[in-house]
Amino acid sequence: MQTERDVGGMRCFEVLARLDAFVAGELVGEELGRLRAHVASCPNCAAFGGAYAQTLKALRTLGPSAEEAAAAARLRVRLAR
Amino acid sequence: MNDAGEIDDAELLRRARGGDRVAGDTFVGRHLAAVVRYARAVCPDPVAAEDVTQDVFVAAFTGSQPLAGASARAWLLVSTRHAAWRLHRRRVGEPAAFVPLESLGLAAGWGEDPETVVSRLEDRARLDAALQRLSVEDREVIVLRDLEGLDGEATAALIGVEVAAMKSRLHRARLRLMAALREGGVDADRT
């Protein structure tokens, strides 16, 4: 990671450190502006930010696995007794 | 009754404790999937997870302590956590060795083609395997926040840390998950 490369007033490792806050919509004002400026000009951070956001999206829409569903079905019967 | 005209959890629990089987089954129906998933995330094995899940609901139905404004979901998850932690032989809360965030980022695929990440996410078995490879502490914070959508304060309270510490743990856990996803699968280069 190009730690010394300052793009848009922020460095790649700083963007990485604030990525969770960014995708959660918690960044504001000047810091948000600098991060956006960096991501607009840094293909690595743009790509990784996208990958991170996609990962969260996949997790948020994850339904039960087949094993979880089977366990739940067994338990529902046992608990009904 | 809540706004949707549904009977709220506290009332369901009260009725279930009074012997109302329909209320009990409704309560189970609302929370079972979440408890199953979290129990499997924090218990040493799936059989233990199933037993813990059963015990947690049985305890809820045979207990006498009212919810008293607490979220039933959070209450059940706390019970699950206590039960699970008793099953682990090692001491709880040992922090993982400190790894700089940059290293986690690189391991997670920083600098890589994002297309690869997306396609891995679509492989359910691979995602499940990656989650399994995480430490219990990493897995539980991801399950609580990202899968179950439990809010930050509740999550932090559940795992016993400050919100800022929870956020840091979550971010690092997500990066480790991305790294585990990257490592899994037949196309991975074993080093």
Side-chain angles (χ1 to χ4, degrees):
Chain A
M1 202 171 300
Q2 291 169 300
T3 58
E4 300 311 314
R5 193 159 156 263
D6 182 322
V7 173
M10 213 178 237
R11 292 167 209 183
C12 296
F13 77 92
E14 291 171 307
V15 171
L16 177 66
R18 300 302 274 148
L19 203 47
D20 59 329
F22 176 61
V23 300
E26 290 168 5
L27 292 189
V28 290
E30 188 250 341
E31 192 184 21
L32 178 60
R34 284 190 294 121
L35 188 143
R36 278 188 175 148
H38 179 106
V39 169
S41 308
C42 176
N44 284 328
C45 284
F48 191 73
Y52 187 90
Q54 287 279 31
T55 302
L56 294 201
K57 188 179 165 201
L59 292 172
R60 280 178 191 144
T61 56
L62 205 63
S65 66
E67 291 83 4
E68 284 168 359
R74 285 191 292 274
L75 283 159
R76 195 128 187 207
V77 169
R78 277 151 70 177
L79 289 166
R81 294 203 193 117
Chain B
M1 288 264 185
N2 64 18
D3 289 343
E6 294 176 331
I7 302 168
D8 66 27
D9 283 327
E11 179 60 21
L12 277 181
L13 195 56
R14 197 192 64 78
R15 293 187 191 184
R17 286 171 174 174
D20 183 340
R21 285 177 171 280
V22 172
D25 190 65
T26 305
F27 184 82
V28 169
R30 277 189 196 168
H31 302 291
L32 184 59
V35 176
V36 164
R37 183 146 66 180
Y38 181 61
R40 288 171 70 95
V42 295
C43 287
D45 62 77
V47 173
E50 213 162 307
D51 289 341
V52 163
T53 303
Q54 182 165 351
D55 290 348
V56 162
F57 279 100
V58 168
F61 292 143
T62 56
S64 53
Q65 197 184 20
L67 279 179
S71 143
R73 178 68 56 90
W75 191 79
L76 291 166
L77 294 177
V78 167
S79 293
T80 306
R81 192 173 200 267
H82 288 160
W85 251 242
R86 285 197 291 271
L87 300 175
H88 284 281
R89 303 220 188 288
R90 67 182 172 84
R91 206 163 49 82
V92 166
E94 282 171 23
F98 176 75
V99 176
L101 203 68
E102 272 178 64
S103 301
L104 291 183
L106 288 167
W110 193 95
E112 205 179 71
D113 174 17
E115 291 284 311
T116 341
V117 176
V118 175
S119 64
R120 288 176 200 136
L121 290 168
E122 286 163 4
D123 182 341
R124 178 63 199 254
R126 188 163 181 161
L127 183 51
D128 284 342
L131 279 163
Q132 277 310 112
R133 303 237 305 276
L134 299 179
S135 69
V136 172
E137 288 80 9
D138 279 354
R139 187 165 54 246
E140 77 161 330
V141 71
I142 288 181
V143 167
L144 291 170
R145 275 300 272 148
D146 292 339
L147 275 71
E148 293 306 327
L150 200 66
D151 73 67
E153 301 235 349
T155 302
L158 193 88
I159 67 178
V161 300
E162 298 295 318
V163 171
M166 182 278 299
K167 285 181 178 181
S168 171
R169 187 184 295 193
L170 179 62
H171 186 37
R172 298 172 73 89
R174 287 165 174 171
L175 294 174
R176 280 192 269 253
L177 176 65
M178 290 172 77
L181 262 170
R182 196 163 158 256
E183 288 161 19
V186 293
D187 59 358
D189 216 27
R190 299 272 177 263
T191 50

